[in-house]
Amino acid sequence: MTRPERPLTGRKPRTIGYRQIASTLVSEIQGGKWTLDSPFPTEMELVERFQVGRNTVREALRELQDLGYIKRRRGARSVLVNASPESAFVNAVRSAEELLDYAKITKATILTTETVIVDDKLSRRLDIPAGSEWVRLGLLRHREGQAAPFAYSEVYVLPRFADVIESFGAEGELFSLIERRHGIVISRVEQEIEATLVDANIASRLSVPVDSPSLFVRSKFYSSEGDLVEIGLVSFPASRYKVRLALDRRGAAAAAA
């Protein structure tokens, strides 16, 4: 005897973020759904389509404007002004949380997985004491529709958290998987950003010349207990990645009042 299916009525719909909406619209723009200088859907049309709030749609449209696809006009429809504005991946950031969000809207390809003991050389690279054991993933990041990777990453997690690696990508980033599976809260992320030159290993991964300029980012993820849980090292070739910041000043509105 088969059990009848439960009706879907009353089930809470899955909420999507503005970056997912922006990514969908970018794919449609690149696929030719709209022509240059043609009117873009209104905020309310997008609210109805994606079943989200108006603020979420506004953030998605702001993202498209930051990336150079549309021009927004007060009191009128946005207009498509460029179907392929950037050859580089642009990470438009308006908050600390969004600094790592590029991982959610790009594709990661794992190249290597291995267990390493931190020696003196790696100790300096990771900025941690030598002697500890970590599981290291080497991976490439691709922007949708672009053949060349825009980043090479090495991600280090403690061996007791290595069980999350098999679900990496399909179910989320490593630090978020560690939170869900191990009941850990990542409460602090420290980042250091440095302009540097790529070595032979990274150059071969990214297909760029040795000693070409890049942006090197080291991220450390700490639990609410202060324990170091994950370390990420990312190299962005100069020609393939940009960070665009638009941050609001706290208290600016109150000071102006």
Side-chain angles (χ1 to χ4, degrees):
M1 179 178 179
T2 59
R3 181 176 296 178
E5 294 184 358
R6 294 182 179 179
L8 297 178
T9 304
R11 179 178 295 179
K12 186 177 180 180
R14 183 174 66 90
T15 302
I16 63 174
Y18 79 89
R19 284 203 157 178
Q20 292 170 285
I21 295 173
S23 179
T24 297
L25 294 174
V26 166
S27 296
E28 293 176 347
I29 290 171
Q30 294 176 345
K33 186 170 183 177
W34 298 282
T35 58
L36 292 181
D37 297 321
S38 66
F40 209 63
T42 65
E43 288 182 2
M44 291 310 300
E45 288 171 345
L46 294 173
V47 165
E48 289 295 322
R49 174 183 172 184
F50 292 103
Q51 293 296 294
V52 295
R54 195 162 185 171
N55 286 339
T56 301
V57 166
R58 285 175 177 168
E59 288 298 305
L61 292 176
R62 184 183 298 177
E63 177 98 338
L64 293 184
Q65 180 172 261
D66 288 344
L67 295 174
Y69 286 100
I70 65 171
K71 181 177 181 180
R72 301 174 72 195
R73 300 180 297 180
R74 185 181 296 274
R77 286 177 179 262
S78 300
V79 174
L80 180 66
V81 295
N82 201 328
S84 55
E86 296 279 2
S87 58
F89 178 80
V90 179
N91 192 20
V93 177
R94 285 180 288 276
S95 70
E97 289 78 9
E98 291 182 357
L99 196 57
L100 297 168
D101 267 4
Y102 70 87
K104 299 179 181 178
I105 55 175
T106 59
K107 180 182 178 182
T109 302
I110 296 178
L111 304 178
T112 59
T113 304
E114 57 187 336
T115 299
V116 297
I117 304 295
V118 177
D119 58 16
D120 290 339
K121 181 179 179 181
L122 187 56
S123 170
R124 291 189 294 272
R125 187 167 170 79
L126 297 179
D127 190 31
I128 61 173
S132 56
E133 181 178 302
W134 295 77
V135 178
R136 175 171 62 195
L137 278 72
L139 56 94
L140 292 174
R141 288 274 179 192
H142 289 81
R143 176 187 179 186
E144 186 174 351
Q146 296 285 336
F150 72 86
Y152 171 71
S153 302
E154 290 182 355
V155 183
Y156 296 77
V157 296
L158 292 172
R160 67 176 180 272
F161 302 132
D163 61 301
V164 305
I165 293 174
E166 62 183 13
S167 301
F168 170 65
E171 298 182 26
E173 293 302 305
L174 290 177
F175 68 88
S176 61
L177 290 170
I178 291 172
E179 285 186 313
R180 294 202 300 270
R181 291 195 183 180
H182 293 272
I184 290 175
V185 176
I186 303 297
S187 61
R188 189 172 86 256
V189 180
E190 295 180 356
Q191 280 199 334
E192 292 185 13
I193 302 174
E194 178 183 359
T196 186
L197 303 177
V198 297
D199 60 22
N201 174 53
I202 295 175
S204 66
R205 305 285 192 185
L206 294 170
S207 299
V208 297
V210 176
D211 290 336
S212 58
S214 71
L215 197 65
F216 174 75
V217 180
R218 177 171 54 223
S219 304
K220 293 182 178 180
F221 299 79
Y222 291 89
S223 71
S224 54
E225 287 75 31
D227 297 324
L228 181 59
V229 174
E230 178 184 329
I231 305 171
L233 307 179
V234 190
S235 294
F236 299 99
S239 60
R240 300 181 195 167
Y241 180 77
K242 296 179 182 179
V243 176
R244 184 172 292 150
L245 297 174
L247 305 178
D248 295 327
R249 292 176 56 203
R250 289 184 178 178

